Amino acid sequence: MSQHLRGSVVVVTGGGRGIGLACAERVARAGADVALLDLLPEVESVAAALPTPSPAVGVAADVTDPASVAAALDEVSARLGRPTALVHAAGTALVGDALTTSVEDFERVLRVNLTGTFVTAQAFARLCVAAGQPGDVVAIASMSARVVNVPQRQSAYNASKAGVEALVRSLAVEWADLGVRVNGVSPGYVATEQTLGVLEGDPATADAWRSRIPLGDVAQPDDVAGVVEFLLSPASRYVLGQCLLVDGGYTAL
């Protein structure tokens, strides 16, 4: 198995489960040391099970709180060395009619998905600049940044992920001359804890999702993680400011 990430220290937010955990497992197999940042209480035990060269680190952190993120990155630096890459997979979703969604709920989704991306990327980039070393950022956006996928109603989620894609492009241009390379991945429907309730408990909605996917089924978390690994690898060195769609062709229709 290729060890092209050996010597890297990769921080994964939202790494306790779902896409984040799949990304952590993928980069660990590629030789990286890994730190998981998550609010889940089991984040340390999840990290301990990763097949990393050095024992992986699990740290409780709130991605919307700059002080929490900075403290978590300081702990990672003390235990593993300076992070060389960031995968920001922390996120939340909200399904509900826009006429009845409260402003507080709308802002909570934006705070986690969009502000959280900025907070973690900024803290990571500051470490890179202070060390005079390059770094890579991969943010998890969504195909919902580009299409209004149905039948669910999720205006807050769609808006937040559109913001993530715009933020990726902006940071990529602004930080290119600092050596901090920023890209994103925009998945379609993925079989994670957030979607399994629908996939297993709401056949009509699940069938509606699948009927619009040319490949015929939802992605597995590792399908997304493979693209994240590519964006962290030397093979993608000339890719900048892109959010690569991993949607089974949903947005091609």
Side-chain angles (χ1 to χ4, degrees), residues 27 78 114 151 175 193 209 239:
V27 299
L114 180 54
W175 293 348
E193 291 84 352
W209 288 357
V239 180

Side-chain angles (χ1 to χ4, degrees), residues 63-216:
V63 299
T64 70
D65 180 352
S68 176
V69 172
L73 292 182
D74 285 345
E75 181 174 345
V76 172
S77 297
R79 296 172 65 180
L80 294 178
R82 184 189 65 84
T84 61
L86 167 70
V87 178
H88 182 72
T92 191
L94 174 67
V95 175
D97 194 312
L99 286 176
T100 57
T101 296
S102 69
V103 171
E104 291 77 15
D105 283 344
F106 189 92
E107 290 181 339
R108 175 180 57 83
V109 175
L110 264 66
R111 188 167 62 252
V112 174
N113 293 354
L114 180 54
T115 304
T117 302
F118 176 76
V119 167
T120 53
Q122 182 189 61
F124 170 77
R126 285 173 171 171
L127 289 181
C128 294
V129 171
Q133 296 294 323
D136 288 293
V137 176
V138 178
I140 304 299
S142 172
M143 70 174 183
S144 301
R146 310 187 197 188
V147 295
V148 180
N149 40 316
V150 293
Q152 70 277 15
R153 296 178 175 181
Q154 50 182 36
S155 58
Y157 182 81
N158 296 348
S160 71
K161 292 301 187 177
V164 171
E165 286 205 348
L167 183 62
V168 163
R169 293 190 294 272
S170 298
L171 297 182
V173 172
E174 185 173 339
W175 293 348
D177 61 352
L178 300 178
V180 179
R181 191 167 59 102
V182 183
N183 287 292
V185 177
S186 293
Y189 295 113
V190 184
T192 65
E193 291 84 352
Q194 285 189 331
T195 58
L196 285 176
V198 174
L199 294 170
E200 296 176 353
D202 186 350
T205 298
D207 288 345
W209 288 357
R210 290 187 175 100
S211 70
R212 295 171 178 266
I213 302 172
L215 285 183

